[in-house]
Every structure is written in C-alpha cells, then in structure tokens.
Amino acid sequence: AQKITQTQPGMFVQEKEAVTLDCTYDTSDQSYGLFWYKQPSSGEMIFLIYQGSYDEQNATEGRYSLNFQKARKSANLVISASQLGDSAMYFCAILSPPLSGSARQLTFGSGTQLTVLP
Amino acid sequence: DSGVTQTPKHLITATGQRVTLRCSPRSGDLSVYWYQQSLDQGLQFLIQYYNGEERAKGNILERFSAQQFPDLHSELNLSSLELGDSALYFCASSVDHYGYTFGSGTRLTVV
C-alpha cells in the first residue's frame, strides 16, 4: 500500500516569493510516479508536475519544480515567484507502479492550503 | 477545458434518493476513475474501469455502482443517499503513466 503525508495544513507566502510545500511518501514499490495537483476554490483538479522514481533530474514545469529526494522519500513542490492566483489547495499523490496497464489508482495526501499575500 | 466532461456540475437531492453522475473521458483514454472528495475523508478512490471492464475497486459503498459503456463514457450511480454522501465527485481519465486528467467534478448535496 502507498501513503502520502503532507504535514502542512496551511501555508502563507508573500507575493513574488518562493514557497516549498512538503510531501513525504511511503511505498514498497521500486517503480512509482509522484504528482502534484492544484485545486483552486472553484474545485477543479489541475495537474502541475510529475516525477518518475527513476528520473535522475528533478522535474520542472515553468514556475513549479519538484525537489525529489528518493532516499528520504520526499517530493517537495517548490513554487517560485508566487502569484495571487497560486492561492489554492495543493495535493501530492503517488501512482504505483506507473507503467501498469491494470489498476492504477492515485493515492493522495491530505493537501496544503496555500495563501499568497499581496 | 481538461477534455474530461462531467455532468451535472451541481446536484441537490433528498436523502433516500438515487442519482446518476456522468463522465466522458478524454478522446483516446480507455481508463476512467471515480473519486470522492469530502471534508472528513479527503480524496478517496472509488472505482476504475478500463475499456468497459471494472479494473479496481477502492472505498466504494455497496449503495454505489458504476459502469463504463462501449463509447467509453462512464456513469456513477449513487442510491439510498445519506447526508454523509454529500461531496465532490471527480471523474478522471488516463492513457499513460503521466497520471490522470480530472474533470471539473460534480458537487452533490444531499438534504
């Protein structure tokens, strides 16, 4: 079984500053994928970034980067130059194993509510 | 627009009633997943269908059922509704290992 832990229920950041959202995971699989999703107040789930367990480089997507530390089983999301529109709930999730064509459910953490202050 | 379409967006119904939530996956995606998001339980996986067949089951109540049709759209049926079933129900679809694409959700309120 997989487990995701997000220990920060809420975070505040000043506009234009960087912020790190923590995520640790637990899995016994060697091959897995890690994801971050953003859920604004409107409710939709927006995919942000993906990191495969065998990827040697940290994933980056625009202002989003994933600080992947495999030995520590952590996959923190870094948002650079925060914007007011970044205020939302952020979920970390794990998919294991990622290449299976069969059952491939995502396991989510409890989320971090990020508020960007002007 | 994510390409995954969920209808209706909002639904208000009374306890004991039955409702059907509909999901159309992205073009080409064979897998459909249903998730429930409630305040106390967070995001919970309910069920997965792959090309018309049930592939995985999560924390889905016996009062709930789903199916995927030949055109790959899926329906989630919720019956004998209780107040605690009020939640945001997401459908997602996928084709590869880069995770899911989520629909915008159906917000169900049971009164």
Side-chain angles (χ1 to χ4, degrees), chain A residues 39-71:
Chain A
Q39 186 178 37
S41 57
S42 52
E44 70 267 31
M45 293 288 283
I46 302 167
F47 167 75
L48 294 179
I49 196 166
Y50 164 83
Q51 177 85 42
S53 59
Y54 290 117
D55 294 341
E56 294 187 352
Q57 294 199 340
N58 287 340
T60 60
E61 289 285 349
R63 294 186 299 110
Y64 304 108
S65 60
L66 201 152
N67 184 1
F68 181 48
Q69 299 186 46
K70 193 171 181 177

Side-chain angles (χ1 to χ4, degrees), chain B residues 1-8 21-34 67-76 89-94 101-106:
Chain B
D1 181 8
S2 68
V4 178
T5 304
Q6 286 189 252
T7 56
L21 312 184
R22 183 187 167 100
C23 169
S24 294
R26 279 188 324 175
S27 177
D29 288 357
L30 299 178
S31 276
V32 170
Y33 310 78
W34 287 97
Q67 53 184 328
Q68 186 179 27
F69 294 86
D71 66 352
L72 300 179
H73 92 271
S74 177
E75 293 181 355
L76 179 67
Y89 291 84
F90 283 108
C91 167
S93 71
S94 72
T101 300
F102 281 84
S104 56
T106 293

Side-chain angles (χ1 to χ4, degrees), chain A residues 33 35 37 39 41-47 50 89 91 95 98-99 101-110, chain B residues 31 33 35 37 43 45 48 50 55-58 88 90 94-105 107:
Chain A
F35 302 82
Y37 285 86
Q39 186 178 37
S41 57
S42 52
E44 70 267 31
M45 293 288 283
I46 302 167
F47 167 75
Y50 164 83
M89 182 73 87
F91 291 97
L95 182 65
L99 296 180
S102 184
R104 295 170 62 246
Q105 64 186 78
L106 275 171
T107 299
F108 286 86
S110 55
Chain B
S31 276
Y33 310 78
Y35 278 78
Q37 185 180 27
L43 270 157
F45 169 70
Q48 176 200 359
Y50 179 82
R55 196 56 70 95
K57 240 178 183 178
L88 189 53
F90 283 108
S94 72
V95 68
D96 60 21
H97 64 289
Y98 288 103
Y100 304 174
T101 300
F102 281 84
S104 56
R107 190 171 295 278

Side-chain angles (χ1 to χ4, degrees), chain B residues 1 12 15 25-26 38 52 60 62-63 66-67 78 91-92 107-108:
Chain B
D1 181 8
I12 302 175
T15 54
R26 279 188 324 175
S38 60
I60 187 166
E62 285 192 11
R63 300 184 285 108
Q67 53 184 328
L78 315 175
C91 167
R107 190 171 295 278
L108 173 67

Side-chain angles (χ1 to χ4, degrees), chain B residues 50-61:
Chain B
Y50 179 82
N51 202 20
E53 293 185 1
E54 181 185 304
R55 196 56 70 95
K57 240 178 183 178
N59 299 320
I60 187 166
L61 300 172

